[in-house]
Amino acid sequence: MEPLRQYLQAMGIPAEHPLIEAWMPYFEAQHLARGEPWQVEGRRCQHLAFLQKGMLSHYHYADGKERTRWVSMAPSFVTSLGSFIHQTPCLENIKALVPCALYRCGRSEFYVLKAQYPLLQQLWTDHLEMEVAGYEQRVSQLI
């Protein structure tokens, strides 16, 4: 779990901040083989994960073909954002492109900690802002 601690510190959480010790017990290790699904379209996304190693493809099917909309690369946090936030059925699939090592945290635990630690709320807001800016940049490149 040391890579996760280091990543959180790089995001701006001081090593001695109580959030780190409070959050660590809620993460569980998960390993995915190449091609193994992490999230399935139509199900609610119940986890946020730290991708320590590997790459995940976010994709859907159109005209019977797999269409990748995003690739998450380590180290980063990953989830099916709309489903995770709103608890609606997921509009995408997420699978391992290569063998992956993740640490996942349940949605309910994440939201409890987010309410208790303003620093986590700020980091979540920063993350969402980066996501939106990234989407905006990708869309502008398509025009």
Side-chain angles (χ1 to χ4, degrees), residues 63-79:
D63 302 322
K65 295 182 181 177
E66 191 176 294
R67 305 285 184 181
T68 299
R69 74 157 192 88
W70 189 260
V71 174
S72 294
M73 295 183 282
S76 65
F77 278 99
V78 62
T79 193

Side-chain angles (χ1 to χ4, degrees), residues 28-94:
E28 67 175 304
Q30 182 180 18
H31 296 274
L32 299 175
R34 182 177 189 261
E36 187 174 350
W38 186 74
Q39 180 64 47
V40 177
E41 185 176 354
R43 296 185 185 162
R44 287 190 186 125
C45 184
Q46 298 295 327
H47 294 93
L48 171 71
F50 171 68
L51 179 59
Q52 176 189 340
K53 178 182 143 197
M55 293 187 302
L56 296 168
S57 172
H58 300 243
Y59 66 97
H60 65 278
Y61 289 98
D63 302 322
K65 295 182 181 177
E66 191 176 294
R67 305 285 184 181
T68 299
R69 74 157 192 88
W70 189 260
V71 174
S72 294
M73 295 183 282
S76 65
F77 278 99
V78 62
T79 193
S80 182
L81 197 57
S83 179
F84 182 77
I85 292 170
H86 301 294
Q87 286 298 276
T88 54
C90 190
L91 300 175
E92 65 184 350
N93 298 285
I94 302 175

